[in-house]
């Protein structure tokens, strides 16, 4: 996650208050995010389940700009 955040691909990652899961916000289209998840062994680990992959369009504020490469 640290590398994805430093590369500007992961905007934020926060666990739910009750530790039942987490919300991860990625920058990219669906194909890019699916490729990130396919390359990361974390998403294939026992007990890890992606409930949904959805596009987000903030109406107040915006995601921070990409970090320089």
């Amino acid at each position: 996650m640290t590398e994805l955040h430093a590369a500007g691909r992961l905007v934020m990652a926060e666990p739910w208050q009750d530790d039942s899961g987490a919300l991860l916000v990625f920058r990219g289209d669906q194909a890019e995010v699916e490729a990130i998840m396919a390359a990361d062994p974390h998403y294939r680990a026992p007990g890890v389940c992606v409930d949904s992959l959805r596009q987000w369009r903030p109406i107040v504020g915006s995601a921070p700009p990409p970090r320089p490469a």
Side-chain angles (χ1 to χ4, degrees):
M1 279 198 252
T2 302
E3 290 176 17
L4 289 169
H5 186 260
R9 305 310 304 156
L10 179 63
V11 176
M12 66 179 183
E14 300 289 336
W16 301 129
Q17 183 71 26
D18 63 2
D19 288 326
S20 64
L23 170 69
L24 284 76
V25 177
F26 290 94
R27 178 178 287 107
D29 63 26
Q30 186 151 342
E32 291 171 317
V33 174
E34 287 174 352
I36 289 169
M37 292 172 57
D40 190 332
H42 171 77
Y43 296 101
R44 296 184 300 278
V48 174
C49 172
V50 176
D51 286 337
S52 64
L53 181 59
R54 300 172 63 179
Q55 293 184 350
W56 178 48
R57 290 184 297 161
I59 58 170
V60 175
S62 63
R67 293 174 182 231

